[in-house]
Each structure stands twice: as structure tokens, then as C-alpha cells.
Amino acid sequence: MKVTWVLPRGDEVVAEVAEGTSLMEAAVANNVAGVDGECGGSLSCATCHVQVDADWREKTGEVGEFEDAMLDMVEDRSDASRLSCQVRMSPALDGIRLTVPEPG
Ligand code: FES
């Protein structure tokens, strides 16, 4: 299944991602600059912040309570913001496009 990350300068990273892999893990595995996943997915760093393209937002599900609190720490939070450690790859997300925020 395919995931595309759009970097702040417009470059794109496209990768094949297996079902069940978090989008943070996939980004780290594919050296996506700007997605660090420092806490390993335990919802305590927000270095996995991405913006989900509009067409895909509903398919990624609801922002969780702790994710919401953590996203409040992110300067450039928007309606598209997700912590990518909280989104797991599934067939419904095949083709998803994510934008990596400008470095803070
Ligand atoms: S990897 Fe730390 S909050 Fe997602």
C-alpha cells in the first residue's frame, strides 16, 4: 500500500507500507525528514506531526483524547493535523498523502 509524504519544499517521498504499520514508523523507516518519532509512538513527543490531505481525513478516524492534548503543543496545528504514530496503515488508506510541517 502506498503512502506519499510531501516535504515542506514540495519534494515527495513515496513508499510501500505494510498493513498495521504506523505512519510514523513508516516515515522513520523511509527517512522522511521532519518526522522523527522521538518517543517511539507513546504519545509524548509530537515529533510525528503531519497534516493529512483533505480527501483522506475521514478515513484516518478520530483524533484520540491524548493525541488531541498532545497536538495542542504543536504550533502549526490545523484541522488536518494528526500524530502519525496514531494512524495505522490499512487498505482504506492506500494512496494517502501527508504533508510534513515546516520545521518549528
Ligand atoms: S512518536 Fe511521539 S507522539 Fe508520535
Side-chain angles (χ1 to χ4, degrees):
M1 289 171 276
K2 196 175 89 166
V3 178
T4 301
W5 289 266
V6 182
L7 304 180
R9 288 188 188 161
D11 301 343
E12 295 187 356
V13 178
V14 182
E16 280 294 318
V17 178
E19 183 167 9
T21 304
S22 85
L23 298 183
M24 175 278 283
E25 290 165 335
V28 170
N30 288 283
N31 297 315
V32 176
V35 180
D36 297 331
E38 271 171 23
C39 75
S42 62
L43 272 181
S44 56
C45 74
T47 63
C48 61
H49 176 217
V50 294
Q51 316 270 3
V52 179
D53 273 25
D55 293 349
W56 298 95
R57 280 182 213 158
E58 274 186 25
K59 294 184 180 136
T60 62
E62 296 284 312
V63 175
E65 185 184 343
F66 293 109
E67 181 183 358
D68 186 46
M70 208 59 212
L71 278 169
D72 277 341
M73 320 268 274
V74 169
E75 264 183 35
D76 45 359
R77 181 177 186 173
S78 75
D79 289 347
S81 291
R82 292 300 306 263
L83 294 180
S84 57
C85 65
Q86 300 303 301
V87 181
R88 292 203 175 269
M89 197 60 198
S90 69
L93 298 183
D94 187 13
I96 190 170
R97 290 177 65 86
L98 307 168
T99 299
V100 179
E102 295 276 349

